[in-house]
Each structure stands twice: as C-alpha cells, then as structure tokens.
Amino acid sequence: MSLVAATRAESTKQFTTSMWWLLGVILVAYVGFTASALGFALGGSTTGAFGTGQGPVLAPEDLPGLLYSSATSVGYVFPLLIGTLIVTSEFRHKTLTSTFLATPRRGIVLGAKLLVGAFLGLLYGIVGIVAAVGPSSAFLAGFGLETELTSPDTWAMLGRMLLSYVLWVLIGIGVGALVRNQVGAIVGVLVFTQFIEPIVRTAAGFIDGLSDAVRFLPGAASDSLVGTSIFTLAASTGSSLSWWAAGLVLLAYAAVLLALGYLTTWRRDVS
C-alpha cells in the first residue's frame, strides 16, 4: 500500500471515532475559559478598573499577545494527547495487527500517522486560537484596550502557534510509538506536562543556573516558539530561546521519540 492510500486509511480510522472531536470540545472549553478569566482579570487590573493593588499591571501593548498565547501555554496538552492516542489506541484495541497486514511496511504506517497527525495539529491549532482570541479580544475591547488584531506581529505569532500545535502532535505520536500502554502513556504525559515541568520551571526562578537548562524543556521551548506566555507572569527564568531555535528543540524532541519508538516498540511483533 502506498503512503497516499495508507494516509487515506488512517484518516478514515481517526475521523470515524469520537475521540478527536471530544478532545476538541474540551480544548475549546478549557482554553476559552482560561482566556476569558485572564482577559477579565488582566484587562481590569491593567486599566485600573478594579482599583489599585488588585493584581499584576502589564503594559497594554503586551496584553493581547499574552492573552492570545493561552491557546498554546495551557492548551498544548491536547495536541500532545491526540498524538499519543493516534498510536496507543491501536495497541489498546488490538487493531495494529490488521493495520500491518494491510500495510506491511511499518515505516509507511508511521508516516501516514504523522501526516494525519499534522492535519489534526493544524485543526486543533485553529480551534484553540479561535477559543483564545475570541473572548480575549472581546474583553480587551470592552476595557478600551487595543486588540492588535491588525498587527503583522500578532498574525506572525498566531502562525507560530499553529506550528507549535503541529509539533506537539508529532511529539505525542513519538510518545505513543515508544510506550505501548495507553494508560501509562497518557498518565506520563499528564504528570510531566501538568506537574513536573511546571514545578521545575517555577523552581528555576529561585535556583541559580537552573534556568539555562529549563529553557530547553518542551513546554518552555513551546512558549519561546510562540514568543510569549502567561508563565511570564511568574518569576523570571532567565533568557529564552529564539523562536526558530525553540522550534528546532521541539522538532528534535519529536525526532528522537519517533526514532526510539520506531527502533524499539514499532518493530516488535504484535499480537
């Protein structure tokens, strides 16, 4: 079977299940709620609508990008999860055997998953950006602040956010190819992204020398790729990577995980 045919089959496999749109709905709700809460709190404190001393006061020109970037700073876990599920669902439901029988060349199967995953990353990115920009820009306009939606810099940032979503899906596929157990892979992803890395990044603001290493963590690299993040409200963690270097770091994570997964788990016999 050719890569085109394998990709068509993979697309059918993914889009005839409910998992992709269920995660998409949760993504919209989570990012939309976060953006709304931040837009209300930061917009009010920046303009002084809540009085003085009621929260962080930011430069008005920095606020739109920070609010819009919530699509990636808190929403990146969703493309990571869908990428992981693209692979681990095959192991869990024992459909990988029939997949390999239909397409004996396992590299083509993995390539098809990467192509479909990249499309899902773009789809999730668009949905996440709309969920963040919609309420954020409404609150900015309501508080009399500029939305910066006509700025080329804003649109360049949104483009980098789309790229971030695609790279996170590819990283997720790498995780899924390396870890067969779906529950173990999902728990590992959630523990690392929601607990371990945030704790390490917070600690870097208080431990000398740690910030130089922390900027190479995947979440920190994703924030650097986008250019801003709500985590900039926390203690400074030193200089960040340039956006293109951060993109290469995320790509390297995906490449290493995919290579390890292909050379180990992906080449094993399946039952």
Side-chain angles (χ1 to χ4, degrees):
M1 183 182 290
S2 67
L3 179 60
V4 173
T7 302
R8 188 182 301 114
E10 185 65 29
S11 299
T12 302
K13 188 183 304 179
Q14 297 303 321
F15 289 103
T16 52
T17 64
S18 60
M19 183 56 64
W20 72 274
W21 64 263
L22 285 174
L23 273 179
V25 170
I26 299 172
L27 166 64
V28 170
Y30 183 46
V31 170
F33 174 79
T34 302
S36 298
L38 289 173
F40 176 73
L42 298 181
S45 62
T46 298
T47 58
F50 302 150
T52 58
Q54 299 300 314
V57 178
L58 305 172
E61 62 271 17
D62 295 335
L63 196 53
L66 187 145
L67 293 175
Y68 301 159
S69 69
S70 60
T72 48
S73 58
V74 302
Y76 73 92
V77 68
F78 293 96
L80 180 59
L81 283 174
I82 195 63
T84 303
L85 290 170
I86 285 175
V87 182
T88 57
S89 60
E90 295 257 36
F91 290 109
R92 181 182 179 184
H93 298 292
K94 301 185 184 301
T95 59
L96 196 58
T97 299
S98 58
T99 298
F100 285 159
L101 288 174
T103 311
R105 297 175 63 182
R106 299 188 178 191
I108 289 181
V109 175
L110 188 58
K113 290 184 180 297
L114 291 173
L115 290 175
V116 174
F119 176 78
L120 279 169
L122 287 173
L123 182 61
Y124 273 37
I126 293 171
V127 169
I129 288 171
V130 171
V133 173
S136 295
S137 59
F139 276 109
L140 289 172
F143 284 113
L145 296 168
E146 290 292 334
T147 63
E148 301 293 341
L149 289 177
T150 59
S151 170
D153 291 338
T154 298
W155 286 95
M157 184 191 72
L158 298 181
R160 295 194 300 271
M161 290 166 66
L162 285 177
L163 176 59
S164 175
Y165 266 77
V166 171
L167 290 172
W168 276 115
V169 174
L170 301 186
I171 291 173
I173 293 175
V175 171
L178 185 61
V179 182
R180 286 190 177 208
N181 185 275
Q182 187 175 75
V183 174
I186 293 174
V187 170
V189 162
L190 293 176
V191 168
F192 183 83
T193 59
Q194 306 303 302
F195 295 99
I196 295 178
E197 182 170 353
I199 291 173
V200 173
R201 292 179 67 179
T202 301
F206 305 93
I207 302 176
D208 292 338
L210 184 59
S211 60
D212 290 335
V214 163
R215 60 181 178 168
F216 290 99
L217 290 175
S222 179
D223 290 343
S224 296
L225 171 59
V226 172
T228 185
S229 164
I230 60 172
F231 289 105
T232 58
L233 294 177
S236 174
T237 55
S239 61
S240 60
L241 298 170
S242 59
W243 73 266
W244 59 268
L248 290 177
V249 169
L250 288 179
L251 183 61
Y253 274 110
V256 170
L257 288 169
L258 286 166
L260 290 175
Y262 181 79
L263 293 174
T264 55
T265 302
W266 202 246
R267 297 178 65 178
R268 293 178 187 172
D269 292 335
V270 293
S271 57

